[in-house]
Every structure is written in C-alpha cells, then in structure tokens.
Amino acid sequence: MSGDTKFSVLVSLFNWMQKSKSSAVKRSKFRKFLDTFCKPCDYFSAIRIILPSLDRERGTYGLKESVLATCLVDALGMSRDSEDAVRLFNWRRGGPKTGANAGNFAMVATEVLQRRQGTASGGLTINELNDLLDRLASAENR
C-alpha cells in the first residue's frame, strides 16, 4: 500500500469476498491483498477503513442516515421528490419501489450512486480517504 494503493483495489477485494462462501478462501485472499499491496508499516491505514468501529484514533462523524441522505441528494443535484431521493430518505421502508435492500442504508445509497455515477474509480488512495475521514471526524460544522 505504501500510501499509493487505490481505494478501488480494497473495494474490489470486498466485492470478491462478499461473493465467496468459504472463510478460508476469504482469509487467503485478504492475506494476498496485504502481502501484495501493503507494507507492514501501512497495515493500519487499511485496517482503520476495514474495521472503523475499532479505530480509537478517529472520532465519530456525527452523521446519521438522514443527514447522509440529504448530503447525497444535494451533492448529486437530485430533486427531493425524485424516485432515488425518496428511496434515500425512506431507506428503512420496504415496498414495491424500494428494492431488496430496504432497511440497509449503505446498500440503498450504493444502488443510487451506481446508477448515477457508474463504476469508474475516482482514483482516491486509501491514505487520501483516511485523511478525508479524519478531517470529517474533526470538523465542528459537519
């Protein structure tokens, strides 16, 4: 990882691991990721993204799903009554237009983002993402 590993590499690893059933295969793939992309001194950067609840150096973001939904709607320039905006605002509710991921904000947001932004990587590195998350956690006006 030496500071330059793209976050998209980690996302690809997660996507692959999500599809795999075997814990042994998942561990092997994760070990290969660490051996291939990370130096031992860089493990912390990846681990704090993988296990954010165990990261004691970074505070909470102070953002709930409703605030994140509003931020996404505004950032993507969506009308507040568009189908995607309504899905984000009402992510907990099931129904005919909510999809299989109702109740899971992260998955609902992912579906909305993928439809609107495609699958191209923005080129953000793991260290850059950690820096942005540190700034978010330390910001007073979230």
Side-chain angles (χ1 to χ4, degrees), residues 95-106:
K97 292 187 177 180
T98 57
N101 293 314
N104 184 336
F105 180 80

Side-chain angles (χ1 to χ4, degrees), residues 51-126:
L51 301 169
S53 63
L54 300 178
D55 184 358
R56 302 291 181 242
E57 287 194 12
R58 182 182 296 143
T60 64
Y61 304 123
L63 298 172
K64 298 289 182 193
E65 290 88 350
S66 60
V67 174
L68 289 172
T70 300
C71 290
L72 286 171
V73 167
D74 292 346
L76 296 171
M78 288 189 260
S79 165
R80 301 258 171 164
D81 57 356
S82 70
E83 186 176 322
D84 282 342
V86 170
R87 280 193 70 213
L88 286 168
F89 292 133
N90 299 315
W91 64 273
R92 282 189 176 100
R93 296 185 190 140
K97 292 187 177 180
T98 57
N101 293 314
N104 184 336
F105 180 80
M107 292 303 294
V108 170
T110 298
E111 288 175 356
V112 169
L113 288 168
Q114 284 178 337
R115 278 198 302 276
R116 294 184 169 268
Q117 294 184 317
T119 57
S121 169
L124 193 66
T125 67
I126 290 174

